[in-house]
Amino acid sequence: MWYNSRMNGSIFSDIIAVLYLAAFIAAGQLLSRWVFCRSPRVVRITLGAALGLLMLMWLPALFSFGLGFTLLSQLLALAVAAATGFISAKKAVKPLMAVREPELRPYLCCVIPTVLLLCGLTLSHTLPHMPDGGLGSGQCTYGDMCMHLGFITSMAEQGNFPFEYSILPGSRLCYPFLCDSVSASLYLLGLPLRAAYIVPMVFALAQVFCGGWFLGREIVHRRGAAVLAFILFFLNGGLGMIYFMGDYSLTELFTGFYTTPTNLTDRGIRWVNVIADMLLPQRATLFGWAALFAILYLLYRAVFRGDERAWLPAGIFGGLLPMIHTHSYFALGLVAFCWLLYSLRRDGLCMAWFRRWLRFGLPAVLLAAPQLMLWTLRSVEGNSHFLRVGLDWVNQGQENWLWFWLKNVGLVFAMTPFALVFCPREQRPVFSGAALIFILGEIVLFQPNPYDNNKLFYVAYLFACFLVADFIMLLVERLKTKPLRAAFLALVVVIGCSAAVFTLGREVVSGLPDHAYRLFSADDVSAAEYIMANTEPDAVFLTDDNHNNTVAALTGRNIVCGSPSYLYYHGLDYTGAQRDAQEMLTDAEAFERLRGEYKIGYVYFGS
């Protein structure tokens, strides 16, 4: 584990940082015990973990407006969390009636192995030591991890708030930053960079799996359907294995760079596995889903189960989503809109209906509005790369529409129409939001990179998994013998999940020491330690614009212009800075002419 020179990675500072995280989780549990006192215990624990993470992300940010992202902001946030936990402990009461606890065996059989797998992949993919003394990465984290490392280190080192891009100084950070500020808090308290990156991820991963499980358990009707839905969603994969029966070999699958059956772009396979390509590399999606699945659970309980106590918490949690993951907030809004229309038709326009949705909608909009205006709209407004018509998602007419979706999504896509026909009439409105998300995602592009619409599509896919799993279990019930039922379910899992299994196998291999991808050499690490010990936190470096930039990722210092693969897809105008940086690196006169404009203090040449 790499210890940075600023904090020296002492055992004392490690303990302090871990206790800091534990205090927020404990406060979330106490608050959940009060607010959700009528929920089953295991559900309260899941919701409490979501509450703890939300407080850990948001409270330091709130104090940072006046104090900067400093140690004092972290301590004040801790004081508020502790006070919240203390008040909640005083107010918590036993439920008025006995609460039926759900069966834990299927829940544990799904969640525990998945969490263990993801813990192993997170450890092997996050700055593992390379044989030559450098720091590496697995396949799926090779691209995005350096960007997140840069956000984390610059937040902690520079402490300015609102945050700015260290890879384009002077530009406000409009990316949903709370997924990284949670690690920056731990890094600021002294936890080594690698540990600060990993520890919050582990909690968020567990929260995603638990939240997905309980949401599915509420929605599906038949025994075993929640387990099957869990498997189909997290081990999602289409028919990409057909290309490894002729065009590609298994050797290429396990050794090539992104030649997997869920991410084979030259064959039109773009439906990536959610574990390998969403949860592990994309921290905003990870932390967004950790909150979103809990919110959808609460909103479903409110709309379809009549749980009056769930409206307000769902609205408050929802209003905190935009700067955790903007796509999750948008997906929540689309689902909530469809469920609102359904409940209006069911209940009629009355004061009771109005009050319920006001309890959800008012905090969901009022809390989100400042975030959207201060950060999101600054990058979207006037930028033609956002919010544009884009028919047929990434396919764009290259292949037959039906074949594109069938080979990408596979079994779930093929069975969804049949499952909808056999779905009970009263349950169909649950899936209306998923239909709206899919239709919009096929018509409108919401980011410069069309691929990123999948962050919406996967929420629709989650509901499709619930629908299809119920239908499959209906078919299983009609089979007469146990061997026949087992064989049928095995066939379903093989067809639906084989591509994901091979993709995850590739990730396991890419995390092994001899097969990992090197991000930084031993000399890069030594240089980073020297820079942190001998330069100002807000110093500006002239460097190349490679994505694995030692200065930006490991030291938190500013560079003139970072990787276009990050800046372009965030909608930033970086072309002038990129041109000037390249000119200064190759022309002495240009360097002397421009260095003052960019306040360059140092030049860094890599290998």
Side-chain angles (χ1 to χ4, degrees), residues 521 524 527 542-544 546 549-551 585 603-607:
S521 68
D524 292 330
L542 175 64
T543 74
D544 199 3
N546 53 307
N549 191 287
T550 302
V551 177
L585 284 170
V603 181
Y604 180 84
F605 290 95
S607 57

PDB file of all heavy atoms in Angstrom, residues 521 524 527 542-544 546 549-551 585 603-607:
ATOM      1  N   SER A 521       5.262   4.100 -12.862  1.00  0.00           N
ATOM      2  CA  SER A 521       6.487   3.374 -12.561  1.00  0.00           C
ATOM      3  C   SER A 521       6.957   3.717 -11.159  1.00  0.00           C
ATOM      4  O   SER A 521       6.449   4.641 -10.508  1.00  0.00           O
ATOM      5  CB  SER A 521       7.568   3.739 -13.578  1.00  0.00           C
ATOM      6  OG  SER A 521       7.958   5.097 -13.388  1.00  0.00           O
ATOM      7  N   ASP A 524       7.948   7.240 -11.119  1.00  0.00           N
ATOM      8  CA  ASP A 524       6.803   8.150 -11.041  1.00  0.00           C
ATOM      9  C   ASP A 524       6.356   8.327  -9.592  1.00  0.00           C
ATOM     10  O   ASP A 524       6.042   9.443  -9.153  1.00  0.00           O
ATOM     11  CB  ASP A 524       5.633   7.607 -11.874  1.00  0.00           C
ATOM     12  CG  ASP A 524       5.915   7.621 -13.362  1.00  0.00           C
ATOM     13  OD1 ASP A 524       6.664   8.501 -13.812  1.00  0.00           O
ATOM     14  OD2 ASP A 524       5.365   6.756 -14.064  1.00  0.00           O
ATOM     15  N   ALA A 527       8.823  10.438  -7.761  1.00  0.00           N
ATOM     16  CA  ALA A 527       8.673  11.836  -8.180  1.00  0.00           C
ATOM     17  C   ALA A 527       7.456  12.474  -7.522  1.00  0.00           C
ATOM     18  O   ALA A 527       7.503  13.636  -7.093  1.00  0.00           O
ATOM     19  CB  ALA A 527       8.546  11.909  -9.696  1.00  0.00           C
ATOM     20  N   LEU A 542       3.523  22.291 -15.903  1.00  0.00           N
ATOM     21  CA  LEU A 542       3.403  22.028 -17.338  1.00  0.00           C
ATOM     22  C   LEU A 542       3.812  20.579 -17.563  1.00  0.00           C
ATOM     23  O   LEU A 542       4.937  20.190 -17.256  1.00  0.00           O
ATOM     24  CB  LEU A 542       4.304  22.968 -18.130  1.00  0.00           C
ATOM     25  CG  LEU A 542       4.369  22.706 -19.649  1.00  0.00           C
ATOM     26  CD1 LEU A 542       3.001  22.930 -20.294  1.00  0.00           C
ATOM     27  CD2 LEU A 542       5.424  23.606 -20.303  1.00  0.00           C
ATOM     28  N   THR A 543       2.884  19.772 -18.068  1.00  0.00           N
ATOM     29  CA  THR A 543       3.147  18.353 -18.322  1.00  0.00           C
ATOM     30  C   THR A 543       2.496  17.951 -19.633  1.00  0.00           C
ATOM     31  O   THR A 543       1.825  18.757 -20.294  1.00  0.00           O
ATOM     32  CB  THR A 543       2.558  17.460 -17.205  1.00  0.00           C
ATOM     33  OG1 THR A 543       1.135  17.413 -17.358  1.00  0.00           O
ATOM     34  CG2 THR A 543       2.895  17.984 -15.827  1.00  0.00           C
ATOM     35  N   ASP A 544       2.652  16.704 -19.994  1.00  0.00           N
ATOM     36  CA  ASP A 544       1.911  16.142 -21.118  1.00  0.00           C
ATOM     37  C   ASP A 544       0.457  15.939 -20.688  1.00  0.00           C
ATOM     38  O   ASP A 544       0.113  16.071 -19.506  1.00  0.00           O
ATOM     39  CB  ASP A 544       2.551  14.820 -21.540  1.00  0.00           C
ATOM     40  CG  ASP A 544       2.146  14.429 -22.953  1.00  0.00           C
ATOM     41  OD1 ASP A 544       1.427  15.206 -23.611  1.00  0.00           O
ATOM     42  OD2 ASP A 544       2.557  13.342 -23.401  1.00  0.00           O
ATOM     43  N   ASN A 546      -1.293  13.091 -20.944  1.00  0.00           N
ATOM     44  CA  ASN A 546      -1.631  11.666 -20.811  1.00  0.00           C
ATOM     45  C   ASN A 546      -2.619  11.457 -19.663  1.00  0.00           C
ATOM     46  O   ASN A 546      -2.600  12.180 -18.668  1.00  0.00           O
ATOM     47  CB  ASN A 546      -0.366  10.833 -20.578  1.00  0.00           C
ATOM     48  CG  ASN A 546       0.462  11.353 -19.416  1.00  0.00           C
ATOM     49  OD1 ASN A 546       0.798  12.541 -19.377  1.00  0.00           O
ATOM     50  ND2 ASN A 546       0.795  10.478 -18.478  1.00  0.00           N
ATOM     51  N   ASN A 549      -1.489  10.719 -15.615  1.00  0.00           N
ATOM     52  CA  ASN A 549      -0.569  11.807 -15.344  1.00  0.00           C
ATOM     53  C   ASN A 549      -0.136  11.773 -13.882  1.00  0.00           C
ATOM     54  O   ASN A 549      -0.961  11.900 -12.977  1.00  0.00           O
ATOM     55  CB  ASN A 549      -1.252  13.146 -15.661  1.00  0.00           C
ATOM     56  CG  ASN A 549      -0.296  14.308 -15.652  1.00  0.00           C
ATOM     57  OD1 ASN A 549       0.142  14.737 -14.597  1.00  0.00           O
ATOM     58  ND2 ASN A 549       0.029  14.820 -16.832  1.00  0.00           N
ATOM     59  N   THR A 550       1.139  11.600 -13.655  1.00  0.00           N
ATOM     60  CA  THR A 550       1.664  11.451 -12.296  1.00  0.00           C
ATOM     61  C   THR A 550       1.323  12.655 -11.421  1.00  0.00           C
ATOM     62  O   THR A 550       0.884  12.504 -10.275  1.00  0.00           O
ATOM     63  CB  THR A 550       3.190  11.268 -12.334  1.00  0.00           C
ATOM     64  OG1 THR A 550       3.504  10.121 -13.125  1.00  0.00           O
ATOM     65  CG2 THR A 550       3.753  11.089 -10.936  1.00  0.00           C
ATOM     66  N   VAL A 551       1.514  13.841 -11.947  1.00  0.00           N
ATOM     67  CA  VAL A 551       1.295  15.054 -11.163  1.00  0.00           C
ATOM     68  C   VAL A 551      -0.175  15.195 -10.787  1.00  0.00           C
ATOM     69  O   VAL A 551      -0.528  15.427  -9.626  1.00  0.00           O
ATOM     70  CB  VAL A 551       1.779  16.298 -11.937  1.00  0.00           C
ATOM     71  CG1 VAL A 551       1.490  17.569 -11.145  1.00  0.00           C
ATOM     72  CG2 VAL A 551       3.256  16.193 -12.251  1.00  0.00           C
ATOM     73  N   LEU A 585       5.808  23.069 -24.544  1.00  0.00           N
ATOM     74  CA  LEU A 585       6.692  21.916 -24.363  1.00  0.00           C
ATOM     75  C   LEU A 585       7.702  21.780 -25.503  1.00  0.00           C
ATOM     76  O   LEU A 585       8.723  21.095 -25.350  1.00  0.00           O
ATOM     77  CB  LEU A 585       5.863  20.631 -24.255  1.00  0.00           C
ATOM     78  CG  LEU A 585       5.152  20.385 -22.921  1.00  0.00           C
ATOM     79  CD1 LEU A 585       4.179  19.218 -23.035  1.00  0.00           C
ATOM     80  CD2 LEU A 585       6.166  20.110 -21.809  1.00  0.00           C
ATOM     81  N   VAL A 603       7.908  22.327 -14.447  1.00  0.00           N
ATOM     82  CA  VAL A 603       7.703  21.503 -15.635  1.00  0.00           C
ATOM     83  C   VAL A 603       8.033  20.074 -15.266  1.00  0.00           C
ATOM     84  O   VAL A 603       9.043  19.808 -14.604  1.00  0.00           O
ATOM     85  CB  VAL A 603       8.594  21.967 -16.807  1.00  0.00           C
ATOM     86  CG1 VAL A 603       8.341  21.092 -18.034  1.00  0.00           C
ATOM     87  CG2 VAL A 603       8.338  23.435 -17.120  1.00  0.00           C
ATOM     88  N   TYR A 604       7.154  19.151 -15.686  1.00  0.00           N
ATOM     89  CA  TYR A 604       7.373  17.728 -15.377  1.00  0.00           C
ATOM     90  C   TYR A 604       7.447  16.937 -16.681  1.00  0.00           C
ATOM     91  O   TYR A 604       6.511  16.952 -17.489  1.00  0.00           O
ATOM     92  CB  TYR A 604       6.225  17.186 -14.516  1.00  0.00           C
ATOM     93  CG  TYR A 604       6.375  15.713 -14.159  1.00  0.00           C
ATOM     94  CD1 TYR A 604       7.141  15.313 -13.073  1.00  0.00           C
ATOM     95  CD2 TYR A 604       5.761  14.723 -14.927  1.00  0.00           C
ATOM     96  CE1 TYR A 604       7.298  13.977 -12.752  1.00  0.00           C
ATOM     97  CE2 TYR A 604       5.906  13.382 -14.613  1.00  0.00           C
ATOM     98  CZ  TYR A 604       6.669  13.010 -13.532  1.00  0.00           C
ATOM     99  OH  TYR A 604       6.819  11.682 -13.214  1.00  0.00           O
ATOM    100  N   PHE A 605       8.581  16.249 -16.866  1.00  0.00           N
ATOM    101  CA  PHE A 605       8.739  15.364 -18.021  1.00  0.00           C
ATOM    102  C   PHE A 605       8.682  13.916 -17.539  1.00  0.00           C
ATOM    103  O   PHE A 605       9.479  13.511 -16.689  1.00  0.00           O
ATOM    104  CB  PHE A 605      10.078  15.619 -18.725  1.00  0.00           C
ATOM    105  CG  PHE A 605      10.135  16.927 -19.429  1.00  0.00           C
ATOM    106  CD1 PHE A 605      10.687  18.039 -18.813  1.00  0.00           C
ATOM    107  CD2 PHE A 605       9.627  17.074 -20.706  1.00  0.00           C
ATOM    108  CE1 PHE A 605      10.745  19.265 -19.460  1.00  0.00           C
ATOM    109  CE2 PHE A 605       9.671  18.284 -21.360  1.00  0.00           C
ATOM    110  CZ  PHE A 605      10.231  19.390 -20.738  1.00  0.00           C
ATOM    111  N   GLY A 606       7.763  13.147 -18.080  1.00  0.00           N
ATOM    112  CA  GLY A 606       7.687  11.739 -17.741  1.00  0.00           C
ATOM    113  C   GLY A 606       8.559  10.921 -18.660  1.00  0.00           C
ATOM    114  O   GLY A 606       9.348  11.449 -19.443  1.00  0.00           O
ATOM    115  N   SER A 607       8.414   9.613 -18.565  1.00  0.00           N
ATOM    116  CA  SER A 607       9.266   8.740 -19.371  1.00  0.00           C
ATOM    117  C   SER A 607       8.934   8.836 -20.856  1.00  0.00           C
ATOM    118  O   SER A 607       9.730   8.437 -21.677  1.00  0.00           O
ATOM    119  CB  SER A 607       9.092   7.295 -18.905  1.00  0.00           C
ATOM    120  OG  SER A 607       7.728   6.917 -18.986  1.00  0.00           O
TER     121      SER A 607
END
